[in-house]
Amino acid sequence: MAKNDAVDIKRINELAKKKKEEGLTESEAKEQSKLRKAYLDSFRDNFKKQIENTRVIDPEGNDVTPEKVKKILDSKDKKDNN
């Protein structure tokens, strides 16, 4: 993760702690929601990229990557070549 993500996580945690201890103001609740959404969007995007770049090889050396992932990889390769 980038340095900004670490700062966002720190702030998310600060707001979560404050929410438990004393509650949040309306603006803090909005900030928390915005930060959580940005963090989750980034996490999902990074996870998707990781899965899309993964091949599964069995002990005999055969590619046993699930068909759904193969289709994504094939369509991604076609886009990159155009």
Side-chain angles (χ1 to χ4, degrees):
M1 281 188 204
K3 188 175 182 178
N4 287 344
D5 290 337
V7 173
D8 291 345
I9 292 170
K10 182 179 177 184
R11 182 64 178 150
I12 289 169
N13 290 335
E14 289 171 356
L15 291 169
K17 182 179 178 185
K18 184 176 180 198
K19 182 178 181 179
K20 286 180 185 177
E21 292 175 351
E22 60 191 82
L24 299 176
T25 66
E26 186 176 330
S27 65
E28 288 171 330
K30 287 180 183 178
E31 177 187 9
Q32 183 185 43
S33 178
K34 181 180 173 184
L35 289 171
R36 284 181 174 173
K37 182 183 181 324
Y39 175 78
L40 288 173
D41 289 346
S42 174
F43 178 87
R44 288 179 183 124
D45 185 50
N46 289 336
F47 187 75
K48 181 180 175 189
K49 287 177 184 175
Q50 183 177 358
I51 294 297
E52 289 175 350
N53 290 304
T54 300
R55 295 242 182 232
V56 181
I57 308 298
D58 71 9
E60 289 83 37
N62 301 311
D63 185 352
V64 292
T65 305
E67 288 302 316
K68 184 175 181 178
V69 175
K70 285 182 182 180
K71 287 179 185 177
I72 292 169
L73 288 169
D74 288 342
S75 67
K76 184 178 171 190
D77 289 341
K78 288 176 185 174
K79 286 181 186 176
D80 291 345
N81 290 331
N82 287 336

